[in-house]
Amino acid sequence: MQKLRDIVVRVEERDDPDPVINHSNALPIMHEVLHALKRLHEKGETTSIDLRSIPFGPGDEEALLRQLGCGEVSIELQSLGKSTICETLYPGVWLIDHYNAEGERIALNIEINRVPEIVQSQPEDISDAIIRLNGQLNPENFAC
Amino acid sequence: MAEELKRIGKTLGESLRERGVSRRGFLKFCSATASMMALPPAMVPAIAASLEKAKRPSVIWLSFQECTGCTESLTRSHSPSVENLIFDHISLDYHHTLQVASGAAAEAAREAAMHENEGKYIVVVDGSIPLGNPGYSAIAGISNLQMLEETVAGAAAVVAVGTCAAFGGLPQASPNPTGAVSVSDIVKDKPVVNVRLSQQSSPVYWPTF
Ligand code: SF4
């Protein structure tokens, strides 16, 4: 079945000295990111923005991603399909791109956080790791 | 069977971890679910918390005037996904296309599930309901309307999957020879969740449950 994204959209070329300023929905998102970054810095408050819920026009998303760029950290997560996570050119602003096992994008978020929530080791997984490690190092305690 | 019984008392979170889904994978699934259902990302922790604690619900699936496309979509998830692990987690107590029993034995399973889970079970409907003549569509001699009314009476909620159940769909198209109506045209006293997409929408079903 043809998907929406398979329908070719042609973007008219134009003089584009600053792609963010010239594209309709990228600019307000950058402002939202700026305010969220201030809140993170001042109050430790984290924010997540779902880019798939924003009505981008042709070229908007690309312009936004170009403006955010890729910074010092990039992480690949392999859990129920691949996810790529990178810190943008603005420390504290992360781009999180989730795919399912079939390689289809299932979420694209900007997270304003010191480290994205999903990157941190989760308490449930840590407790599972303790059990497994203990089982390997002290097998006699686990024999039943 | 013993394995099955052991799983009954477990929460979805416990069941998923047991099946090798990490908490990270679960959070990723919740993020995608929030995005798919157009919920704000701030809802992800709440979705994760409530799915985590969800106990194994009893689900009674009623198929009326339908093409089996909705059922096909639910059984055709691709490689291991949280969606089909959640499918394993629910107790699908009646589904006349998927279950082995038929006729009186199948109807007995439906009645037992209704009786044992009074007020707590979920009814899923695919297909529209013909009001023109009870004989247009019946299961084990029970008309679709009668089966819907008696099954929904003790349910916690109803999920209408596919455009046929949610809006009447193809059977309701003019001249609507069977007098087809949607679930929400009949069920007025229970929460009805319309999952209107068909065939492609299986990822949406499971978080809805
Ligand atoms: S909603 Fe679509 S797939 Fe489901 S029963 Fe109707 S026509 Fe078939």
Side-chain angles (χ1 to χ4, degrees):
Chain A
M1 195 183 128
Q2 196 177 39
K3 297 197 173 130
L4 204 54
R5 74 170 74 95
D6 297 334
I7 299 171
V8 178
V9 175
R10 190 163 52 84
V11 183
E12 299 285 333
E13 280 303 322
R14 56 184 176 188
D15 287 340
D16 221 355
D18 181 342
V20 170
I21 304 297
N22 284 330
H23 283 92
S24 54
N25 251 339
L27 182 61
I29 302 281
M30 287 303 285
H31 279 287
E32 197 179 336
V33 167
L34 172 63
H35 288 290
L37 205 49
K38 284 183 184 164
R39 288 198 304 275
L40 177 68
H41 189 50
E42 287 156 17
K43 303 184 207 153
E45 186 186 320
T46 64
T47 306
S48 188
I49 302 167
D50 176 3
L51 293 182
R52 297 212 314 172
S53 68
I54 293 163
F56 281 129
D60 277 2
E61 187 180 295
E62 292 76 6
L64 176 68
L65 298 184
R66 228 178 10 247
Q67 174 78 13
L68 289 171
C70 219
E72 292 176 337
V73 185
S74 70
I75 298 166
E76 190 177 296
L77 169 69
Q78 289 291 351
S79 184
L80 305 168
K82 190 169 108 172
S83 300
T84 56
I85 298 159
C86 78
E87 192 177 44
T88 65
L89 295 171
Y90 308 93
V93 181
W94 299 80
L95 191 68
I96 302 176
D97 203 358
H98 289 309
Y99 293 83
N100 65 14
E102 284 79 46
E104 296 163 332
R105 179 180 272 168
I106 52 171
L108 177 65
N109 291 351
I110 294 175
E111 186 171 325
I112 293 92
N113 204 341
R114 291 185 194 285
V115 180
E117 176 67 25
I118 202 157
V119 173
Q120 299 174 33
S121 296
Q122 303 294 316
E124 295 82 354
D125 294 339
I126 295 172
S127 118
D128 179 55
I130 292 171
I131 295 170
R132 280 190 292 120
L133 197 53
N134 222 346
Q136 281 162 20
L137 298 178
N138 305 299
E140 67 285 358
N141 295 345
F142 284 81
C144 39
Chain B
M1 184 65 182
E3 200 51 41
E4 189 71 2
L5 286 173
K6 245 170 49 191
R7 232 177 24 213
I8 288 174
K10 293 201 169 137
T11 64
L12 175 60
E14 288 164 344
S15 180
L16 289 178
R17 270 192 294 287
E18 199 173 73
R19 316 285 293 273
V21 177
S22 70
R23 180 71 184 175
R24 275 203 190 96
F26 183 58
L27 287 178
K28 175 173 169 176
F29 168 75
C30 292
S31 255
T33 300
S35 179
M36 197 157 46
M37 298 177 103
L39 297 170
M43 292 282 294
V44 170
I47 294 173
S50 62
L51 277 180
E52 166 81 37
K53 290 196 213 90
K55 284 260 168 72
R56 196 166 189 259
S58 166
V59 172
I60 297 177
W61 187 299
L62 305 176
S63 297
F64 297 144
Q65 289 193 130
E66 44 80 39
C67 72
T68 314
C70 288
T71 292
E72 283 286 329
S73 80
L74 113 94
T75 57
R76 292 286 183 274
S77 295
H78 308 279
S79 48
S81 62
V82 176
E83 290 92 322
N84 49 35
L85 293 177
I86 294 181
F87 182 31
D88 285 349
H89 185 75
I90 67 168
S91 174
L92 189 57
D93 291 327
Y94 177 88
H95 189 310
H96 72 213
T97 310
L98 299 180
Q99 71 193 125
V100 177
S102 61
E107 294 316 302
R110 180 174 62 92
E111 280 157 24
M114 287 162 59
H115 182 66
E116 286 159 22
N117 304 290
E118 175 78 36
K120 290 187 285 197
Y121 61 88
I122 296 166
V123 175
V124 181
V125 181
D126 69 330
S128 60
I129 302 98
L131 297 185
N133 179 329
Y136 284 150
S137 177
I139 300 158
I142 307 168
S143 76
N144 290 172
L145 177 63
Q146 188 191 343
M147 186 174 280
L148 178 65
E149 285 176 337
E150 68 179 45
T151 311
V152 156
V158 186
V159 183
V161 298
T163 50
C164 293
F167 303 111
L170 206 60
Q172 202 186 49
S174 181
N176 190 2
T178 63
V181 295
S182 69
V183 172
S184 55
D185 286 328
I186 295 168
V187 180
K188 303 286 186 198
D189 58 345
K190 301 276 173 183
V192 177
V193 182
N194 285 329
V195 180
R196 73 173 191 281
L197 305 169
S198 66
Q199 301 196 352
Q200 295 266 321
S201 58
S202 67
V204 182
Y205 295 165
W206 312 121
T208 307
F209 297 163

